[in-house]
């Protein structure tokens, strides 16, 4: 940052120059500025600038400037307000004042100075102080994200843009980062509304922000705008923004995922199948895409309202091929293993339905026994997968290294294990897993 010029009020009218508070502000400000300059050259860290003597000088300078801007004889003097703004900018440099966010008040002081005398923008140090106001505001807004202070983020970004576009955007032309900072301030303003779940304003602000070519090159701007439209149930615009983003960023995997999730949420089966198949064709070694396609095929081959579709076996076969491919790519993925087990149970149910449809003839009885043998074999396959999943995910649960998604699948797997053992007439094991699930849910859920 470029330090603002010292002796802020030199050049003021003779009457103003004689005011004791103004002389006091000048002296205290110059004293603080000299110390900041020395400390910056020595350490360079904002945290190391908060020495008691620097803080005391700045506090004294601001107190005097406040008195000058409140005094009837100087309250309408542009130089007094410029002095106050410059002092607040220097305060923004110090960690000691971080919670007070003096950069917010600094811009207001500069605006007041400009309102009183437009020529104040020609004063030495004015543009540097203005640019520093923008930088401190921007950085303060980013800190507000981490603090989850989204109103603070929005206010800080508006303040930064206000400084950067001061006097109808006529200043700071020598700053090469000006346009980028304006764009980012617009983006983060919209992002702030999104984070605070004010999706209507998030849409409005991001629509405006994305008109800026700099923001139009940011894929996250498209994603946040699409998410905002989804939250307000404007689904046509949601998918339109996703498709516009995909056209601009054809290799972006996040937009691919957003598109697939859109079709899932809208239950658009044919479109969803097409998109998943295209994704797998485009990236055949992407285990996530391969697994998701397998799950979709599985769902197509499931019983709905107690009845399997006529082509259930075909869907189940395709699902199994995809799920096994996903496990070839990631053999120790507990979620993929569970998905394969869940498919096996659907296949077992499908066979059970065929068994129940048989009559009492000798041929039917023979067929029944054959199908039951196949069904039991499939249940044992499911059991093997579930046991493998348990062996992979249980240590992660006990060590606290399991993700929330994995935990959900693990508990579902324990419940399924109990059901499968019950179907295989192993009552003791079925009871054991029921108790284990209850114990683990009480401890870890």
């Amino acid at each position: 940052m470029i330090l603002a010029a010292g002796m802020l009020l030199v050049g003021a009218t003779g009457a103003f120059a004689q005011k004791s508070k103004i002389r006091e502000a000048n002296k205290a400000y110059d004293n603080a500025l000299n110390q900041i300059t020395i400390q910056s050259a020595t350490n360079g860290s904002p945290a190391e600038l908060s020495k008691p003597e620097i803080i005391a000088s700045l506090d004294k300078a601001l107190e005097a400037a406040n008195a000058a801007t409140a005094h009837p004889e100087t309250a309408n003097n542009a130089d007094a307000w410029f002095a106050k703004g410059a002092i607040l900018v220097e305060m923004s440099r110090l960690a000691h004042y971080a919670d007070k966010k003096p950069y917010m008040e600094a811009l207001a002081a500069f605006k007041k100075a400009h309102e009183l005398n437009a020529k104040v923008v020609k004063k030495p140090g004015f543009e540097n102080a203005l640019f520093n106001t923008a930088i401190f505001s921007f950085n303060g807004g980013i800190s507000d994200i981490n603090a989850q202070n989204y109103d603070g983020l929005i206010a800080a970004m508006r303040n930064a843009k206000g400084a950067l576009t001061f006097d109808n955007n006529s200043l700071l032309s020598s700053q090469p980062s000006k346009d980028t900072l304006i764009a980012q301030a617009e983006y983060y303003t919209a992002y702030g509304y999104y984070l605070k779940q004010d999706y209507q304003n998030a849409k409005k602000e991001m629509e405006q922000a994305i008109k800026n070519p700099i923001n139009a090159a940011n894929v996250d701007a498209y994603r946040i705008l699409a998410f905002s439209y989804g939250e307000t149930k404007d689904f046509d615009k949601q998918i339109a923004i996703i498709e516009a983003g995909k056209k601009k960023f054809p290799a972006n995997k996040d937009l691919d995922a957003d598109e697939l999730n859109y079709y899932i949420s809208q239950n658009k089966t044919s479109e969803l199948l097409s998109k998943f198949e295209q994704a797998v064709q485009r990236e055949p070694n992407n285990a996530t895409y391969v697994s998701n396609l397998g799950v979709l095929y599985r769902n197509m081959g499931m019983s709905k309202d107690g009845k399997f579709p006529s082509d259930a076996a075909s869907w189940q076969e395709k699902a199994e091929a995809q799920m096994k491919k996903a496990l070839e790519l990631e053999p120790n993925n507990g979620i993929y293993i569970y998905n394969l087990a869940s498919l096996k149970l659907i296949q077992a149910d499908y066979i059970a339905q065929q068994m129940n449809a048989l009559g009492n003839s000798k041929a039917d009885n023979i067929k029944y026994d054959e199908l039951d043998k196949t069904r039991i074999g499939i249940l044992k396959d499911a059991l093997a997968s579930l046991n493998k999943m348990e062996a992979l995910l249980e240590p992660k649960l006990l060590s606290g290294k399991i993700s929330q998604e994995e935990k959900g699948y693990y508990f579902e797997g324990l419940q399924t294990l109990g059901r499968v053992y019950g179907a295989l007439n192993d009552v003791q094991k079925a009871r054991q897993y029921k108790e284990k699930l209850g114990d683990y849910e009480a401890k870890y859920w």
Side-chain angles (χ1 to χ4, degrees), residues 14 30 39 55 57-58 72 79 143 164 167 186 202 258 274 398:
D30 286 342
Q39 288 297 316
I55 293 169
S57 294
L58 285 173
D79 289 334
S143 296
L164 293 163
D167 193 20
E186 293 170 342
D258 293 343
S274 176
L398 299 178

Side-chain angles (χ1 to χ4, degrees), residues 225-423:
L225 182 55
F227 292 152
S228 298
Y229 275 120
E231 293 290 348
T232 57
K233 302 188 185 308
D234 195 341
F235 300 120
D236 289 343
K237 286 193 175 180
Q238 180 187 10
I239 191 60
I241 292 297
I242 291 173
E243 297 299 344
K246 281 174 61 66
K247 185 176 181 180
K248 191 171 184 66
F249 307 97
N252 187 270
K253 295 180 181 179
D254 289 331
L255 284 170
D256 284 341
D258 293 343
E259 182 185 47
L260 296 177
N261 287 334
Y262 166 82
Y263 286 112
I264 291 172
S265 68
Q266 297 304 299
N267 197 28
K268 296 189 175 184
T269 304
S270 60
E271 295 95 330
L272 182 59
L273 271 172
S274 176
K275 293 297 181 181
F276 266 107
E277 288 169 344
Q278 289 173 20
V280 170
Q281 185 176 12
R282 188 167 56 250
E283 295 185 53
N285 293 324
N286 185 316
T288 300
Y289 290 167
V290 173
S291 176
N292 286 342
L293 182 57
V295 170
L296 181 58
Y297 286 152
R298 179 201 66 186
N299 294 346
M300 295 295 293
M302 289 175 62
S303 170
K304 297 176 180 64
D305 299 323
K307 185 178 180 180
F308 281 91
S310 59
D311 56 353
S314 175
W315 288 117
Q316 293 167 12
E317 183 180 350
K318 293 171 72 172
E320 185 167 358
Q322 292 299 317
M323 290 179 175
K324 287 182 175 179
K325 173 64 174 177
L327 283 169
E328 288 176 9
L329 295 168
E330 293 186 21
N332 292 322
N333 188 307
I335 294 174
Y336 296 171
I337 295 170
Y338 172 83
N339 287 337
L340 181 59
S342 71
L343 172 64
K344 291 296 180 182
L345 296 180
I346 291 170
Q347 291 172 330
D349 286 344
Y350 180 58
I351 291 175
Q353 188 178 81
Q354 296 174 52
M355 293 166 62
N356 293 334
L358 293 172
N360 295 318
S361 68
K362 182 178 180 180
D364 284 340
N365 288 336
I366 293 172
K367 181 67 173 176
Y368 185 96
D369 291 339
E370 292 174 349
L371 289 173
D372 191 41
K373 184 177 180 181
T374 301
R375 172 180 164 274
I376 291 173
I378 292 174
L379 287 174
K380 288 181 177 179
D381 287 344
L383 194 62
S385 291
L386 290 167
N387 284 329
K388 184 177 180 181
M389 177 218 67
E390 180 184 18
L392 284 168
L393 295 185
E394 185 171 51
K396 297 178 75 173
L397 176 75
L398 299 178
S399 66
K401 296 179 180 179
I402 194 168
S403 71
Q404 198 65 22
E405 183 183 21
E406 287 175 322
K407 187 187 295 185
Y409 275 94
Y410 176 63
F411 286 161
E412 183 69 25
L414 291 181
Q415 185 179 53
T416 305
L417 273 163
R419 293 205 312 267
V420 175
Y421 277 118

Side-chain angles (χ1 to χ4, degrees), residues 69-187:
T69 54
H71 195 285
E73 293 186 30
T74 53
N76 292 322
N77 188 293
D79 289 334
W81 285 98
F82 169 58
K84 180 176 178 176
I87 292 165
L88 288 163
V89 170
E90 290 309 312
M91 285 181 159
S92 301
R93 195 182 304 280
L94 274 62
H96 176 79
Y97 299 102
D99 292 342
K100 296 181 179 180
K101 301 183 177 182
Y103 45 81
M104 301 295 290
E105 194 179 352
L107 180 61
F110 291 143
K111 286 182 176 179
K112 181 65 175 179
H114 184 257
E115 175 188 323
L116 293 169
N117 183 359
K119 292 182 179 179
V120 73
V121 299
K122 303 296 184 181
K123 287 182 67 67
F126 185 88
E127 288 201 40
N128 286 338
L130 195 63
F131 185 68
N132 286 347
T133 301
I135 294 296
F136 291 133
S137 296
F138 186 87
N139 291 340
I142 297 300
S143 296
D144 282 327
I145 296 177
N146 297 329
Q148 297 184 339
N149 178 14
Y150 305 133
D151 286 327
L153 164 64
I154 293 166
M157 291 302 165
R158 291 197 188 283
N159 204 62
K161 183 178 178 181
L164 293 163
T165 59
F166 196 92
D167 193 20
N168 295 319
N169 205 20
S170 64
L171 304 176
L172 304 176
S173 58
S174 62
Q175 296 294 344
S177 59
K178 174 185 175 180
D179 291 341
T180 298
L181 285 169
I182 290 173
Q184 290 181 334
E186 293 170 342
Y187 167 80

Side-chain angles (χ1 to χ4, degrees), residues 1-12:
M1 298 305 142
I2 303 172
L3 296 173
M7 293 301 291
L8 296 171
L9 304 181
V10 171

Side-chain angles (χ1 to χ4, degrees), residues 48-60:
E48 293 169 330
L49 297 178
S50 297
K51 295 179 67 175
E53 53 267 36
I54 295 177
I55 293 169
S57 294
L58 285 173
D59 285 344
K60 186 175 181 180

